[in-house]
Amino acid sequence: MMDIHIKGIVKSSLIDYPNKIATVVFLSKCNFRCGYCHNPELIFHEDEFPDITPEEFFTFLDQKRKWIDGVVLLGGEPLMHPGILEFMREIKKRKISIKLDTNGTFPGIIEKAITEQLVDYIAMDIKNNLAKYPETVNTQVNSANIKKSIALIMDAGKKGLIEYEFRTTVLPRLHAPQDFEEIATLIAGAKKYVLQQFKSEQDLIDNAFKDEKTYTIKELQGFTKLFDGKVETVEIR
Ligand code: SF4
């Protein structure tokens, strides 16, 4: 029995995997507690939502195979699930591309996924400059693991094994302009970085973030300049 807990799927999405029609798979659990997280139910109330079993998922996938060309794994943190690599192998047997959204705390699993060619696109969150990770994600963080994941992803990108992006959900409460200079140094040499504007339409881990002040688009555009000469492409989303 595959040890993985699927809590929801979006059958086909045009926005979650660049240039692909993808099925999105929501997995429970996370080792971070970002106050602005949009998926608290996947983290705190996973038992209240029945699992979609892997068998049910693959029956669906086999029926829809003709209409989709990608699967996006997100959460929560997909790599918290012991059966994740087995799950990815089953998807790859069907010759479907996989995009993995991760917080980067499990470099060992990322490395295995890359080595086994189980992943085609990795989107890794850069929560903040490393010194501010604990206050951003509300738990202790092993910075070495974050750095290792960044290095593995960039190296795999250089070798043409994967496409990737690093991204930060930006909030004035958590990120000062100086933090983006440090993030630019942390990911120097990367291909793509995305500044994500925070949106609070739904319940969050900490609802005190609901009416949170955000930076203006103009301010975000200003931050993109801090990446000049360090990162190839910087986008605002
Ligand atoms: S935002 Fe991502 S990393 Fe943070 S708690 Fe939510 S799922 Fe975990």
Side-chain angles (χ1 to χ4, degrees), residues 27 29-40 42-43 74-78 102-103 125 127 136-137 167 169 205:
L27 296 152
K29 306 181 197 301
C30 190
N31 50 343
F32 284 177
R33 294 289 181 268
C34 314
Y36 55 80
C37 179
H38 283 142
N39 293 320
L42 290 177
I43 298 168
L74 50 76
E77 171 50 52
T102 179
N103 64 24
D125 290 342
K127 297 292 183 184
T136 309
V137 306
R167 67 224 184 143
T169 299
I205 279 192

